[in-house]
C-alpha cells in the first residue's frame, strides 16, 4: 500500500515513517529540502527505505505542492506544521503554514481517487485552551475544543494555529467527503531519530540546562513512539473516527523534575518552582478512545529516561 507522510523529517513523523516501513508500506515522504542531509539521512537509512521510501519536495505555503506526493496514495498522514514558541510574526510563521498548509494538503487529497483516509496530527493545543475550569476532578475528553479567542487573549499563537488548522480541516473534510481522523497528542517526548533538536524534546533538555527553578506549569505528556503508532492504528482500524486524545499522564513540571532526580540522582536539576503560588492544577484526560485503537501507553518514567538517553547520545547533554 502507498501512503504519504507530510513533514516526514520531523520528530513525530520520522517515527511514523519508520513504523510504516516496518509494516511493509511504501511511503511518499514530503520534506522542504530533500538535498539537506540533516533532513533526510535519518530517513533514507531506515530499514526498507531503499526499496519503499520516496522523497518529495513540498512546502505548506505553495499551492498544489503536495499533489504529486499524494497522488495514488491510500492514506495521507498530515503531520507538517510549524511548532515553536516565540514567533515574531505569528501570522506568517505559524498561522498561515498551519491553516493554509492543511487546506493545501486536503485540496490535494480531494483530487485523489485512491484515498481512503486522512490522519491529521492535531494537538491537545486544539482541545484544552479554553475558559473551562480545570482541576483534579475534571476529565478533558475529545468533546473539548480550544477557543481561538482564549488563545489570542493569552498570546498562545502555536495553540491558535493548531486550533484553527483542525477547525478548517473538519470543515473542508465535511464539504469534500474526506474521511478524516485527528490525533491530538499532549507534549510529546521520547527518543529522537532526527539529528536536530525539536521543541518538545527540548522541554526535557530545559530541565537539565542549569536553571535553578522550574516553571509553574502542568501539562499532559505522551511518548513519541505511542503517538506514531496511534497514527498507523487510526488508519488501519476501519472504524476509527473523530479525534483521539493522547496523554499518558498529566504532570506538573515539579513532578517531572522528581522523576528525573529518581532516575539520575547526580544530574544538576532545578531545586524549586519559579513562584510561590499554588501549583498549576492537575486535571484528568480520557484515555478511553485511544485505548479503543489498541494503543498501550508507555509510562512517563520510561519516556523521560529514553529522552535523556537519546539527548546524551546526540550530544545535547
Ligand atoms: P518538528 O518540528 O520536528 O516537525 C515539524 C515538521 O513540520 C517538520 O517536518 C517541518 O519540515 C514541517 N514544516 C514546518 N513548516 C513547514 C512548511 N512551511 N512547509 C512544509 N513543512 C513544514 O515537530 P513535531 O514532530 O513535534 O511536530 C509534528 C506535528 O505534531 C505538528 O503538526 C505539531 O503541531 C504536532 N504536535 C506536536 C507535539 C509535540 O509535543 N511535539 C504535540 C502535539 C502535536 P522541515 O523538516 O522541512 O523543517
Amino acid at each position: 500500500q502507498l501512503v504519504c507522510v507530510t513533514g516526514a523529517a520531523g520528530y513525530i513523523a520520522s517515527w511514523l515513517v519508520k513504523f510504516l516501513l516496518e509494516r511493509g508500506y511504501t511511503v511518499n515522504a514530503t520534506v522542504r529540502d530533500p538535498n539537506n542531509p540533516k533532513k533526510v539521512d535519518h530517513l533514507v537509512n531506515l530499514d526498507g527505505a531503499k526499496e519503499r521510501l520516496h522523497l518529495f519536495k513540498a512546502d505548506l505555503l505553495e499551492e498544489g505542492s503536495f499533489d504529486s506526493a499524494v497522488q495514488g496514495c491510500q492514506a495521507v498522514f498530515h503531520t507538517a506544521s510549524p511548532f515553536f514558541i516565540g514567533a515574531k510574526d505569528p501570522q506568517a510563521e505559524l498561522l498561515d503554514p498551519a491553516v493554509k498548509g492543511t487546506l493545501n494538503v486536503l485540496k490535494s487529497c480531494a483530487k485523489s481517487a485512491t484515498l481512503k483516509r486522512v490522519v491529521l496530527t492535531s494537538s491537545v493545543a486544539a482541545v484544552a485552551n479554553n475558559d473551562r475550569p480545570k482541576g483534579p476532578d475534571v476529565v478533558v475528553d475529545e468533546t473539548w475544543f480550544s477557543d481561538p479567542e482564549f488563545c489570542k487573549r493569552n498570546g498562545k499563537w502555536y495553540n491558535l494555529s493548531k486550533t484553527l488548522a483542525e477547525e478548517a480541516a473538519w470543515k473542508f473534510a465535511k464539504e469534500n467527503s474526506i474521511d478524516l481522523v485527528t490525533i491530538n497528542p499532549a507534549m510529546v517526548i521520547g527518543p529522537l531519530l532526527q539529528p536536530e533538536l525539536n521543541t518538545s524534546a527540548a522541554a526535557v533538555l530545559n530541565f537539565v540546562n542549569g536553571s535553578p527553578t522550574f516553571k509553574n506549569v502542568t501539562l499532559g505528556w505522551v511518548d513519541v513512539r505511542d503517538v506514531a503508532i496511534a497514527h498507523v492504528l487510526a488508519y488501519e482500524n476501519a472504524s476509527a473516527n473523530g479525534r483521539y486524545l493522547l496523554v499518558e499522564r498529566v504532570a506538573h513540571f515539579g513532578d517531572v523534575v522528581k522523576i528525573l532526580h529518581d532516575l539520575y540522582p547526580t544530574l544538576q536539576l532545578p531545586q524549586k518552582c519559579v513562584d510561590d503560588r499554588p501549583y498549576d492544577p492537575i486535571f484528568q484526560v480520557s484515555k478511553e478512545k485511544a485505548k479503543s485503537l489498541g494503543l498501550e501507553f508507555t509510562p512517563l518514567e520510561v519516556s523521560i529516561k529514553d529522552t535523556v538517553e537519546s539527548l546524551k547520545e546526540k550530544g545535547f547533554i
Side-chain angles (χ1 to χ4, degrees):
Q1 278 200 37
L2 181 63
V3 300
C4 172
V5 176
T6 70
Y11 175 51
I12 296 171
S14 298
W15 278 100
L16 174 57
V17 171
K18 176 177 161 62
F19 291 147
L20 288 166
L21 290 172
E22 280 172 7
R23 288 162 103 99
Y25 290 95
T26 299
V27 181
N28 285 354
T30 81
V31 291
R32 269 184 289 185
D33 185 2
N35 297 318
N36 181 350
K38 281 191 179 159
K39 293 290 181 187
V40 299
D41 276 5
H42 66 285
L43 295 178
V44 298
N45 290 325
L46 289 169
D47 283 349
K50 222 169 137 235
E51 302 80 23
R52 286 178 283 111
L53 181 78
H54 306 292
L55 294 175
F56 288 77
K57 182 177 164 63
D59 193 299
L60 290 170
L61 293 169
E62 275 171 37
E63 278 277 326
S65 198
F66 293 85
D67 280 358
S68 49
V70 165
Q71 202 184 7
C73 289
Q74 267 143 354
V76 171
F77 299 92
H78 176 39
T79 84
S81 204
F83 178 20
F84 61 94
I85 311 299
K88 290 199 184 78
D89 181 350
Q91 186 68 43
E93 294 172 62
L94 292 170
L95 302 175
D96 284 350
V99 180
K100 290 185 186 165
T102 296
L103 291 174
N104 204 6
V105 171
L106 289 176
K107 278 180 202 160
S108 302
C109 295
K111 291 180 209 163
S112 164
T114 50
L115 187 80
K116 288 190 188 144
R117 179 170 288 167
V118 177
V119 180
L120 168 70
T121 319
S122 185
S123 172
V124 165
V127 175
N129 285 293
N130 55 41
D131 285 308
R132 292 173 74 166
K134 296 201 188 63
D137 299 328
V138 176
V139 183
V140 176
D141 66 18
E142 283 82 356
T143 63
W144 283 50
F145 281 89
S146 292
D147 171 9
E149 294 310 317
F150 176 95
C151 296
K152 285 182 206 162
R153 218 166 44 234
N154 292 285
K156 293 183 157 201
W157 305 116
Y158 166 71
N159 294 263
L160 180 64
S161 79
K162 297 303 287 181
T163 304
L164 296 179
E166 195 193 312
E167 268 181 19
W170 285 118
K171 185 166 179 286
F172 187 92
K174 199 170 170 212
E175 288 167 0
N176 293 275
S177 304
I178 291 174
D179 179 352
L180 175 71
V181 174
T182 70
I183 300 294
N184 297 66
M187 191 68 130
V188 183
I189 61 169
L192 293 76
L193 293 176
Q194 87 284 1
E196 293 172 308
L197 187 63
N198 61 288
T199 299
S200 58
V204 174
L205 186 60
N206 285 341
F207 288 110
V208 297
N209 67 2
S211 166
T213 55
F214 52 81
K215 288 185 192 161
N216 192 351
V217 171
T218 294
L219 288 179
W221 305 82
V222 64
D223 194 282
V224 66
R225 295 158 290 194
D226 300 347
V227 176
I229 213 70
H231 282 72
V232 181
L233 295 173
Y235 169 58
E236 290 182 347
N237 188 330
S239 61
N241 65 87
R243 316 165 90 199
Y244 289 86
L245 265 172
L246 300 186
V247 181
E248 194 279 324
R249 205 172 310 168
V250 176
H252 190 272
F253 275 24
D255 301 321
V256 175
V257 169
K258 188 171 177 318
I259 294 171
L260 277 165
H261 179 72
D262 291 345
L263 290 166
Y264 301 99
T266 58
L267 210 58
Q268 206 195 328
L269 294 165
Q271 300 290 319
K272 59 183 179 67
C273 191
V274 70
D275 60 44
D276 294 329
R277 286 180 314 199
Y279 270 18
D280 193 19
I282 292 283
F283 49 93
Q284 298 179 55
V285 180
S286 170
K287 292 185 180 180
E288 296 314 307
K289 250 194 117 190
K291 284 187 176 167
S292 76
L293 286 176
L295 191 71
E296 287 174 32
F297 286 99
T298 304
L300 179 59
E301 290 79 3
V302 175
S303 307
I304 290 177
K305 184 165 194 291
D306 291 353
T307 316
V308 173
E309 292 304 316
S310 178
L311 291 171
K312 278 184 184 171
E313 191 197 304
K314 295 194 181 277
F316 293 111
I317 295 180

